[in-house]
Amino acid sequence: MNLRSLLHFPVALLCCASYGLSLPQDSPAADTPYTVLNARFVTGNLARFPVQIVQDRLVVTCDVSTAARRLPANLFIDFESPSTLELHNKAAQGLKSERENGSTIPITVHLPGLEFQVERRQIGDDEYLDHFTKWHSIELGEVAVIGTLGGALLADFHVTFDLAAGEVILEPRAQLDPEGVTPTFATDTTALDINIKDGMVWMPVSLGEGNSAMSGAMALGSGRYDSTLDSDVASQLGHHAGDVGLVALADFNLGDYLALRPAEVPFVHPDGALGVTGLGFLEHFRVEVDRTNRRLLITPTKPSSFPDADLAYFQATWDAWGPREDAEALEAFLMAYPEERLSAEAATALLETRLIQGAQEDAVQKALEWASATSPEDLRATAALEWMESCSAFGFPEYLVLAGELGIKSGRDDRYPNAVHELHAKVGETQLELGQGTAAWKHLLAAAFGIPEDGRVNLGLGRYYESQAEELAAAGDTDRALGRYRRAFSRFVQASIKADSGPAAIEALARVQKRMASAGSDQASFSVDLVERMIAGKVRNFGAATKFKATDENTGTKVVLVEFFTNAFYGTEERGGAIGGALAQEGLMQHFSDEHVAFLSYHLPVPALDPMTNDLAIVRAEELGITDPNVQVIDAVDGQPGAGKWRQAEAIYDRTRKAILARLTSDASDEFELDLTVEYLAPDEENPQGSVSGWVALDGPEYLDMHVHCVLAERGVLFPGASGVVVHRMVARAELLTEHSGDQHGALWEPDAGSMEVTFDVGLHTVQANNEACLDRLMDEGAGTVRKLSMELDPRQLVVVAFVRDDSTGEVLQAVVVEPDGLEELRKQSE
């Protein structure tokens, strides 16, 4: 069933603007769908836009837009890249650049002086873009880097890099030189013939002198600062660090300007791909790229000044066998060049090298101090989080603690206030695992002051208090042990509502509650209701403002069935998803009583397995044609939204409420009488978790083709998934009439004189075992993995929903909700 009707708008066929932007045969736009469309210069046929170098990347500030939205943006300029416009996934979602059917909407890039469209974006490196923006937010003007303008896009323009003036210039592609006419240029400008290979601009270059000289080609690039030399070529020339001496490009010796960085060059050229030039080259020369005439115009803009520090770093990191892991060489470089462009990279390499070597604590501490010294003063705590990840990845938790404590010293100066709290949390968690309880408690408590709702922090504090309680209990100090157990329980409750700590916290809650009971606590036994009371006000909720009042005009004999298809990992609390539908369901359950509306929720195995997924949910979704966990279905005939942002819950509630009201007056149930009797039976040897027993009786027309369903559900199930929903309502656990059908389709209507009665007797342990078997099968089939939590049914939450389905139409004709007899007494015993 499809909730949303998809609108398919024809994509307009756009063409090049009237100024004459052509699509030359060497341009990727000539034979790919990624092309510049509708280019328009603001003034004349030239656009100059300012650029800046930020951490060795060339960045332009601009806007990107679609018909839906316009965003301010920073974009990298990567001339050697084969891409057109790469965009961060979140940016593409914000721009709504793709329709739900997968078709694309053109994206407009608004550069200073020029705007153009690209038919579709390419996928950017989200993690790298996020990290770059976080680290350089101030230099970027607090505007995120969301993607890259690639070489395949720039190939449609006449491009000039003038970094001395802080700008890049784009013009329409030049016309071919008139035949027989030799163009002239300024006296300080050198013209260089180039060739185009795989969309890249290649320049003839020769390396070295005399018998060891080597000729080939270097690609013009802007994606990195360093100009690279193929490491195999460097080794062949006997200069492993790239110090080949003469690097002849036209009339210039780039060896006077640049230290070539040994690297793998992932490109090929028939003359031999020697490397790729970078921003260091463009800082010294104004470079004009005339693709039409296969010509480069090079004008010096800055005197030569060889970067000795760069060469020293390359010598410290390369030798005859390739990349070096020489900690002493890196330390020597840092001593000589503590504040150069590559010093931070060297410090990171030093730390990783020490960890690879399994160095002693003093050597690692020194490496960490270098990492701190070479980081910006207002990012040292943020940087420490990355050092800690490195220490953890190499298996040194004790060094992780060193890194964290070093970062904490700079916490007050960090531009991200939460960084120091994250450091305290990670250090505390690690010390807890190392058995350093008191030290861990101090860090976790410090973290709790800054991020009091953090699940990991509360989980760690709960574990600390639990370990204290166990020690006190073992020493016979029951009263103090009980106090520590209560503290642990409170922290575990706070941890239980977060996706990253919830599963472990749920297990801990059940464990601690049992120990509290054995210690003489009079606290109510662990249950969904208890946890729900304790987390009230800490999670999203939605309450109905009114109760439904039945009248002869707005109701009949019909009980409406609302089936909610969802998943605990569908979306997030912030971005929306399952939480919008779940909150609306809460409101609907408060508004309508069981007398008039029956609710069931089914958890599907997408986008990820959750422990409430079972065969019944999968089969019922197949019956209704549902594939995504984002829909409510009313009487199997009316689909309503089942997902959205939490603030959209009221709109979903109101829309669904109106749809239910329309069904309440249906006369489809007038010919039926559906009765249900259920009893909960206490545990015994055969059913160690208890069982539900009873019968469903139906009177109706014999001529109809129908099935009767009887579904065992739980009113509340505790499981904090990524969606932000903590307590899941009316979770369908099992079809109770499988013995009569052999599957999940209920019992076939086989009346005797217009009546049929079907009995059932099902153990709760059997239901749990079947649901666990379903998860095992799905995991074996590659549906993912899931932690088997909240699988055991809580008898205090049980409810049974029976309904009648018309086989010819699929319509639910009648429903009934019954709570098993015996549960009230059970609840009183657990209070």
Side-chain angles (χ1 to χ4, degrees):
M1 180 168 296
N2 205 337
L3 261 184
R4 297 178 292 270
S5 58
L6 301 180
L7 301 178
H8 303 281
F9 296 101
V11 178
L13 297 177
L14 303 176
C15 60
C16 296
S18 58
Y19 69 77
L21 176 59
S22 59
L23 299 180
Q25 292 305 306
D26 61 75
S27 168
D31 53 12
T32 75
Y34 305 103
T35 177
V36 170
L37 305 171
N38 275 14
R40 184 179 69 85
F41 289 98
V42 175
T43 303
N45 281 349
L46 180 145
R48 298 175 180 270
F49 48 87
V51 294
Q52 61 175 328
I53 296 176
V54 179
Q55 190 56 41
D56 296 351
R57 299 301 303 265
L58 189 61
V59 179
V60 59
T61 300
C62 60
D63 284 1
V64 293
S65 72
T66 60
R69 191 176 180 189
R70 181 164 175 156
L71 298 175
N74 280 304
L75 297 175
F76 294 135
I77 298 177
D78 196 342
F79 192 73
E80 68 270 36
S81 167
S83 63
T84 54
L85 175 65
E86 296 180 7
L87 277 186
H88 193 294
N89 281 317
K90 287 184 179 178
Q93 291 168 6
L95 291 168
K96 298 182 180 178
S97 61
E98 296 175 1
R99 300 184 180 93
E100 292 188 9
N101 65 356
S103 63
T104 58
I105 297 172
I107 299 169
T108 302
V109 179
H110 306 267
L111 294 167
L114 170 67
E115 62 181 40
F116 55 84
Q117 289 183 325
V118 177
E119 186 174 340
R120 66 188 68 175
R121 62 109 182 191
Q122 293 171 289
I123 298 174
D125 185 340
D126 291 2
E127 186 175 350
Y128 175 77
L129 293 170
D130 288 341
H131 183 272
F132 192 94
T133 296
K134 182 174 183 177
W135 270 75
H136 307 291
S137 57
I138 294 176
E139 300 96 307
L140 296 169
E142 304 298 338
V143 175
V145 178
I146 65 169
T148 301
L149 293 175
L153 184 150
L154 296 171
D156 282 345
F157 295 95
H158 188 96
V159 182
T160 301
F161 292 97
D162 192 353
L163 300 194
E167 64 183 16
V168 169
I169 304 169
L170 295 186
E171 304 172 75
R173 287 280 291 267
Q175 301 298 315
L176 281 170
D177 294 337
E179 190 173 348
V181 175
T182 302
T184 58
F185 309 102
T187 55
D188 60 346
T189 296
T190 299
L192 176 68
D193 290 336
I194 58 173
N195 60 60
I196 309 295
K197 175 79 169 56
D198 297 328
M200 300 177 66
V201 173
W202 292 88
M203 307 172 291
V205 172
S206 64
L207 306 176
E209 300 179 81
N211 295 332
S212 62
M214 177 182 292
S215 296
M218 293 188 78
L220 179 66
S222 67
R224 298 291 184 274
Y225 186 88
D226 292 314
S227 296
T228 59
L229 175 66
D230 186 270
S231 55
D232 291 337
V233 171
S235 180
Q236 185 178 342
L237 292 172
H239 295 279
H240 312 291
D243 49 337
V244 296
L246 178 67
V247 183
L249 174 71
D251 298 332
F252 306 103
N253 176 17
L254 299 188
D256 293 337
Y257 297 82
L258 311 171
L260 299 181
R261 181 173 193 145
E264 179 184 356
V265 176
F267 309 114
V268 295
H269 190 276
D271 296 334
L274 301 180
V276 181
T277 61
L279 296 175
F281 168 66
L282 295 176
E283 277 191 323
H284 288 88
F285 298 92
R286 183 182 191 272
V287 177
E288 185 174 342
V289 185
D290 182 353
R291 284 177 178 264
T292 304
N293 294 291
R294 300 294 195 271
R295 182 168 58 226
L296 215 64
L297 301 181
I298 305 174
T299 306
T301 58
K302 185 179 178 181
S304 62
S305 177
F306 187 78
D308 295 312
D310 290 5
L311 176 59
Y313 178 65
F314 303 149
Q315 290 172 332
T317 53
W318 284 84
D319 60 19
W321 292 274
R324 296 171 68 185
E325 294 176 354
D326 188 333
E328 284 67 31
L330 288 167
E331 281 193 348
F333 168 81
L334 287 166
M335 292 292 292
Y337 302 100
E339 297 180 348
E340 296 294 330
R341 181 178 64 87
L342 293 172
S343 297
E345 183 180 332
T348 299
L350 174 61
L351 175 60
E352 292 182 353
T353 301
R354 290 301 192 195
L355 293 173
I356 290 170
Q357 294 171 342
Q360 296 297 312
E361 181 177 322
D362 58 343
V364 174
Q365 180 70 46
K366 188 174 181 180
L368 288 168
E369 289 170 356
W370 274 117
S372 180
T374 55
S375 297
E377 290 185 8
D378 62 346
L379 282 170
R380 286 174 179 169
T382 298
L385 293 168
E386 298 184 5
W387 313 332
M388 295 170 79
E389 286 184 9
S390 297
C391 294
S392 176
F394 284 101
F396 293 103
E398 63 276 21
Y399 296 159
L400 181 153
V401 172
L402 289 180
E405 291 181 335
L406 180 60
I408 288 169
K409 295 178 181 178
S410 302
R412 290 188 177 183
D413 299 323
D414 203 272
R415 73 176 67 162
Y416 297 106
N418 270 1
V420 67
H421 307 312
E422 290 285 341
L423 291 173
H424 278 299
K426 288 180 179 291
V427 170
E429 286 179 287
T430 304
Q431 288 180 322
L432 204 60
E433 297 296 329
L434 293 173
Q436 301 168 9
T438 302
W441 170 72
K442 291 178 181 179
H443 280 292
L444 290 169
L445 204 58
F449 283 115
I451 43 178
E453 297 181 358
D454 187 274
R456 297 167 301 127
V457 171
N458 284 302
L459 182 66
L461 285 169
R463 286 173 171 166
Y464 172 71
Y465 293 135
E466 183 184 5
S467 66
Q468 277 195 320
E470 289 172 352
E471 292 176 5
L472 290 168
D477 194 342
T478 305
D479 290 342
R480 292 180 64 200
L482 195 54
R484 287 295 186 271
Y485 276 132
R486 288 196 179 102
R487 283 192 180 185
F489 193 89
S490 175
R491 289 292 180 176
F492 287 141
V493 166
Q494 294 178 66
S496 71
I497 64 177
K498 300 296 181 180
D500 56 352
S501 57
I506 291 172
E507 292 178 335
L509 283 169
R511 180 178 66 244
V512 169
Q513 200 281 330
K514 290 179 181 178
R515 291 173 181 169
M516 289 170 65
S518 64
S521 172
D522 56 359
Q523 178 172 302
S525 62
F526 177 70
S527 68
V528 174
D529 296 330
L530 174 64
V531 174
E532 193 165 13
R533 287 195 298 270
M534 297 186 74
I535 64 175
K538 298 175 182 177
V539 295
R540 300 287 180 193
N541 63 81
F542 175 75
T546 62
K547 294 282 189 181
F548 174 68
K549 295 181 179 180
T551 66
D552 292 340
E553 287 73 29
N554 63 16
T555 58
T557 60
K558 181 77 171 73
V559 176
V560 176
L561 176 65
V562 179
E563 296 174 283
F564 175 38
F565 292 84
T566 187
N567 179 275
F569 297 98
Y570 188 71
T572 66
E573 181 178 347
E574 294 77 19
R575 297 198 306 271
I579 191 164
L583 292 177
Q585 284 267 307
E586 283 190 22
L588 291 167
M589 290 176 195
Q590 293 174 24
H591 184 69
F592 293 104
S593 69
D594 291 346
E595 280 182 62
H596 301 105
V597 183
F599 293 90
L600 286 172
S601 68
Y602 304 95
H603 285 243
L604 302 184
V606 289
L609 278 182
D610 83 28
M612 290 160 285
T613 301
N614 54 34
D615 286 319
L616 174 59
I618 294 169
V619 169
R620 188 61 179 145
E622 290 174 351
E623 287 178 345
L624 296 174
I626 292 170
T627 56
D628 295 320
N630 57 8
V631 62
Q632 300 175 88
V633 184
I634 300 172
D635 282 342
V637 294
D638 185 9
Q640 296 294 328
K645 296 181 178 179
W646 63 266
R647 58 178 62 91
Q648 295 172 315
E650 184 173 2
I652 298 172
Y653 160 84
D654 192 55
R655 179 171 167 173
T656 309
R657 182 183 61 84
K658 292 175 181 177
I660 292 171
L661 290 173
R663 291 292 301 175
L664 279 172
T665 56
S666 168
D667 59 3
S669 61
D670 290 349
E671 297 181 278
F672 300 95
E673 186 173 343
L674 180 64
D675 291 316
L676 177 62
T677 300
V678 190
E679 182 182 9
Y680 169 72
L681 301 177
D684 55 27
E685 290 186 8
E686 185 177 352
N687 295 301
Q689 296 177 21
S691 63
V692 287
S693 175
W695 63 88
V696 56
L698 176 63
D699 294 333
E702 295 190 9
Y703 63 87
L704 288 178
D705 294 327
M706 300 186 299
H707 273 77
V708 181
H709 292 263
C710 197
V711 177
L712 178 65
E714 286 187 89
R715 290 194 183 274
V717 176
L718 185 66
F719 181 76
S723 68
V725 181
V726 177
V727 178
H728 303 265
R729 312 289 180 184
M730 292 301 292
V731 178
R733 291 299 206 173
E735 169 64 66
L736 296 175
L737 305 183
T738 52
E739 290 186 8
H740 300 273
S741 62
D743 55 28
Q744 303 294 326
H745 296 286
L748 180 65
W749 169 239
E750 296 177 314
D752 181 6
S755 298
M756 183 177 82
E757 186 176 286
V758 187
T759 61
F760 54 85
D761 186 0
V762 179
L764 300 189
H765 72 289
T766 302
V767 173
Q768 180 179 343
N770 290 340
N771 290 341
E772 290 183 353
C774 172
L775 291 180
D776 289 336
R777 186 189 75 250
L778 291 170
M779 286 189 279
D780 290 342
E781 293 171 354
T785 59
V786 66
R787 196 168 179 175
K788 294 180 182 178
L789 294 173
S790 304
M791 301 291 294
E792 183 176 343
L793 280 70
D794 183 347
R796 296 163 295 184
Q797 297 292 326
L798 294 181
V799 64
V800 179
V801 177
F803 62 93
V804 182
R805 172 173 55 88
D806 186 332
D807 293 341
S808 62
T809 65
E811 180 181 0
V812 173
L813 304 174
Q814 184 61 296
V816 64
V817 183
V818 171
E819 185 175 281
D821 291 338
L823 296 192
E824 278 300 321
E825 186 62 29
L826 190 65
R827 293 191 187 106
K828 289 178 182 178
Q829 293 173 5
S830 62
E831 289 179 356

